[in-house]
Amino acid sequence: MEAKSIQKNIIMLIILAIGVKILTMVSKGYTANLQVPGNIGELANSVESLSNLLLIGIVVIIIILIPIYLAKRSEEKKYGQQPK
Protein backbone atom coordinates (compact mmCIF):
# COMPACT_ATOMS: atom_id res chain seq x y z
CA MET A 1 0.00 0.00 0.00
CA GLU A 2 1.37 3.40 -0.94
CA ALA A 3 1.49 6.46 1.28
CA LYS A 4 -0.90 8.30 -1.03
CA SER A 5 -3.63 5.68 -0.61
CA ILE A 6 -3.18 5.69 3.17
CA GLN A 7 -3.47 9.47 3.14
CA LYS A 8 -6.71 9.23 1.16
CA ASN A 9 -8.07 6.69 3.65
CA ILE A 10 -7.23 8.96 6.59
CA ILE A 11 -8.97 11.92 4.92
CA MET A 12 -12.00 9.74 4.12
CA LEU A 13 -12.26 8.60 7.74
CA ILE A 14 -12.02 12.19 9.01
CA ILE A 15 -14.83 13.24 6.66
CA LEU A 16 -16.88 10.22 7.79
CA ALA A 17 -16.38 11.15 11.46
CA ILE A 18 -17.44 14.75 10.81
CA GLY A 19 -20.51 13.54 8.90
CA VAL A 20 -21.56 11.17 11.68
CA LYS A 21 -21.19 13.92 14.28
CA ILE A 22 -23.21 16.40 12.21
CA LEU A 23 -25.98 13.86 11.57
CA THR A 24 -26.13 13.04 15.27
CA MET A 25 -26.39 16.70 16.26
CA VAL A 26 -29.08 17.43 13.66
CA SER A 27 -31.16 14.36 14.52
CA LYS A 28 -30.94 15.09 18.24
CA GLY A 29 -32.09 18.65 17.58
CA TYR A 30 -35.12 17.44 15.62
CA THR A 31 -36.14 14.78 18.11
CA ALA A 32 -35.74 17.04 21.16
CA ASN A 33 -38.81 19.10 20.24
CA LEU A 34 -41.10 16.28 19.12
CA GLN A 35 -44.45 16.01 20.90
CA VAL A 36 -44.82 12.27 20.38
CA PRO A 37 -46.05 10.00 23.16
CA GLY A 38 -43.44 7.46 24.13
CA ASN A 39 -39.80 7.39 24.95
CA ILE A 40 -38.33 9.21 21.96
CA GLY A 41 -35.78 10.87 24.25
CA GLU A 42 -34.36 7.53 25.32
CA LEU A 43 -34.18 6.43 21.69
CA ALA A 44 -32.31 9.60 20.76
CA ASN A 45 -29.87 9.05 23.62
CA SER A 46 -29.21 5.46 22.57
CA VAL A 47 -28.60 6.52 18.95
CA GLU A 48 -26.22 9.21 20.21
CA SER A 49 -24.37 6.60 22.29
CA LEU A 50 -24.00 4.35 19.25
CA SER A 51 -22.72 7.22 17.12
CA ASN A 52 -20.20 8.12 19.83
CA LEU A 53 -19.00 4.52 19.83
CA LEU A 54 -18.65 4.67 16.05
CA LEU A 55 -16.67 7.91 16.34
CA ILE A 56 -14.32 6.35 18.89
CA GLY A 57 -13.70 3.44 16.51
CA ILE A 58 -13.00 5.79 13.60
CA VAL A 59 -10.56 7.83 15.71
CA VAL A 60 -8.74 4.66 16.80
CA ILE A 61 -8.35 3.58 13.17
CA ILE A 62 -7.04 7.05 12.25
CA ILE A 63 -4.54 6.92 15.12
CA ILE A 64 -3.33 3.52 13.88
CA LEU A 65 -3.04 4.70 10.26
CA ILE A 66 -1.03 7.87 10.95
CA PRO A 67 2.24 6.10 11.96
CA ILE A 68 1.83 3.68 9.05
CA TYR A 69 1.43 6.63 6.68
CA LEU A 70 4.51 8.37 8.09
CA ALA A 71 6.58 5.19 7.80
CA LYS A 72 5.52 4.61 4.18
CA ARG A 73 6.15 8.24 3.27
CA SER A 74 9.66 8.18 4.75
CA GLU A 75 10.34 4.85 3.03
CA GLU A 76 9.29 6.30 -0.32
CA LYS A 77 11.51 9.35 0.22
CA LYS A 78 14.41 7.16 1.29
CA TYR A 79 14.32 4.91 -1.74
CA GLY A 80 13.32 7.66 -4.16
CA GLN A 81 10.02 6.13 -5.15
CA GLN A 82 7.46 8.63 -6.29
CA PRO A 83 3.84 7.98 -5.38
CA LYS A 84 1.62 7.26 -8.36
Side-chain angles (χ1 to χ4, degrees):
M1 190 181 296
E2 295 180 358
K4 189 82 169 171
S5 65
I6 296 173
Q7 180 185 17
K8 287 180 183 179
N9 288 335
I10 291 172
I11 292 171
M12 178 201 58
L13 287 171
I14 291 171
I15 292 171
L16 177 66
I18 292 170
V20 167
K21 189 63 177 173
I22 289 172
L23 283 174
T24 303
M25 290 182 344
V26 168
S27 65
K28 186 149 179 130
Y30 279 123
T31 57
N33 297 326
L34 285 178
Q35 300 296 329
V36 178
N39 295 330
I40 194 76
E42 290 180 17
L43 178 64
N45 287 336
S46 63
V47 169
E48 185 179 19
S49 298
L50 285 174
S51 68
N52 287 338
L53 185 63
L54 180 65
L55 286 174
I56 290 170
I58 291 171
V59 169
V60 167
I61 293 171
I62 290 171
I63 290 172
I64 291 171
L65 283 177
I66 288 175
I68 295 171
Y69 166 71
L70 294 174
K72 288 288 186 176
R73 189 178 69 172
S74 67
E75 180 182 312
E76 287 176 357
K77 284 183 180 180
K78 182 179 179 182
Y79 293 113
Q81 296 174 348
Q82 296 297 325
K84 296 178 183 177

